[in-house]
Amino acid sequence: MDQLLTGATAMGFALAALIFLRYWRSTLDRFFLLFALSFGIEAVNRVFLGLAKAAHEERPSIYLVRLLAYLLILVAIVDKNLPRKQ
């Protein structure tokens, strides 16, 4: 049952990444690109977690990957809200 839920979560992250990638292609806004990268990283992380024989979520490497994904979201938000020099 855990693998099924992990796969569904990975599919949701991958779908979100594809949606943000589509928005990035139409607007060329870095915000959407960083969000797509973040959700793509999360999707790959969940796939590897689901394929692992013994899913140990308490391993630091899993949290470091998640930290990278969340930091990308933070960078996207801060970058979008900074004033632009023209």
Side-chain angles (χ1 to χ4, degrees):
M1 185 67 168
D2 286 339
Q3 287 182 336
L4 176 71
L5 292 175
T6 302
T9 305
M11 183 202 57
F13 281 129
L15 181 63
L18 289 174
I19 290 170
F20 281 117
L21 196 60
R22 188 180 85 188
Y23 286 132
W24 172 73
R25 286 184 58 195
S26 64
T27 65
L28 295 178
D29 190 356
R30 279 187 305 221
F31 178 79
F32 295 120
L33 178 62
L34 290 175
F35 262 72
L37 285 173
S38 175
F39 281 103
I41 289 170
E42 277 289 333
V44 170
N45 188 30
R46 298 298 168 142
V47 167
F48 283 130
L49 185 63
L51 293 176
K53 292 190 193 278
H56 297 288
E57 276 198 56
E58 65 272 0
R59 291 188 305 204
S61 60
I62 291 177
Y63 284 107
L64 289 175
V65 173
R66 289 181 186 169
L67 177 65
L68 172 67
Y70 296 140
L71 284 176
L72 278 175
I73 290 174
L74 265 173
V75 166
I77 292 170
V78 168
D79 181 54
K80 187 70 173 175
N81 288 307
L82 285 177
R84 298 273 184 238
K85 292 182 182 180
Q86 294 182 4

